Amino acid sequence: TGTYIDNAGTIKSAVKNLLTYNEDFTSNWTKNNLVALSVTTSAPIGNGVAYKIIPTSSASDYHRFYQSYTSDGTVHTTSVYVKAAGYRYVHLRVGAGGSNYGNCFDLQESVALAGFFDGTNSLSAPDTNSIEDVGDGWYRISVTETIPAGTSYVIAYISNSATTTSFTGDGTSGIYCWGFQHVKGTEIGEYVESTGASTNSAPRFTHERVETG
């Protein structure tokens, strides 16, 4: 996986982001009942801009976007940077079939709650979760869990509720989103940009995780 030297002179292992196009949600992400708009809102770190993920004005059990990957049956940590833009709840789900783990993250109260998917189906609690305030309304949220081997999914649901993902969007409100990451192991990992392929490289930025569960 390689190593790098951080700003303090410490040798660290580079992480591999298993997701692709993790800053561009118009590419390689499946979207259900929402649109992804590139906006002028600054990304939480660096000089890029974020996407505004907007649920459509149709009633649905899910306003979500996701990407698949092949699980090797070991523990992985999934994270993403999010900021409220009219809606405050993100239900972050990992897994497939009967194995679905995750949490609802309240971006107003800065807490992780019990999560739901496809309406009022309950997500199993992950091994751990975290929510980190990185400034200007942005949070880096994460869940860590062991997923059975095979095809699995990383899914984010935008919602107006902490207890369901079923609602009718207003076509304007949404969530700002940037920097999705899925890495092997129990650590959130320092941020790594990925484009057309999963990326293994030294990260550009450093954050410390705050455990909440």
Side-chain angles (χ1 to χ4, degrees), residues 1 14-19 181-184 192 198-201:
T1 57
V15 298
K16 182 175 183 178
N17 189 355
L18 299 176
L19 302 179
Q181 185 157 297
H182 185 70
V183 298
K184 190 170 183 175
V192 175
S198 58
T199 302
N200 181 10
S201 65

Side-chain angles (χ1 to χ4, degrees), residues 84 87-90 104-113 131-133 137 139 141 162 212:
Y87 296 130
R88 61 190 267 196
Y89 300 105
V90 178
C104 171
F105 293 90
D106 182 341
L107 306 183
Q108 178 173 300
E109 299 299 326
S110 184
V111 294
L113 307 168
I131 180 167
E132 176 192 9
D133 186 342
Y139 294 90
I141 60 176
T212 62

Side-chain angles (χ1 to χ4, degrees), residues 3-4 6 16 36 53 62-63 68 86 92 108 138-139 147 158 164 169 174 192 196 202-203 205 210 213:
T3 60
Y4 69 97
D6 67 10
K16 182 175 183 178
I53 311 298
Y62 45 81
H63 300 269
S68 64
L92 183 59
Q108 178 173 300
W138 283 97
Y139 294 90
I147 304 299
I158 311 303
T164 182
V192 175
F205 310 101
V210 178

Side-chain angles (χ1 to χ4, degrees), residues 65-137:
F65 61 109
Y66 62 91
Q67 198 172 122
S68 64
Y69 71 99
T70 301
S71 172
D72 62 3
T74 63
V75 64
H76 284 71
T77 299
T78 306
S79 63
V80 63
Y81 293 88
V82 286
K83 178 180 179 178
Y87 296 130
R88 61 190 267 196
Y89 300 105
V90 178
H91 297 256
L92 183 59
R93 169 190 173 191
V94 293
S99 300
N100 292 283
Y101 301 87
N103 287 99
C104 171
F105 293 90
D106 182 341
L107 306 183
Q108 178 173 300
E109 299 299 326
S110 184
V111 294
L113 307 168
F116 297 86
F117 71 100
D118 296 354
T120 55
N121 295 294
S122 296
L123 290 169
S124 298
D127 287 343
T128 61
N129 61 60
S130 69
I131 180 167
E132 176 192 9
D133 186 342
V134 298
D136 193 32

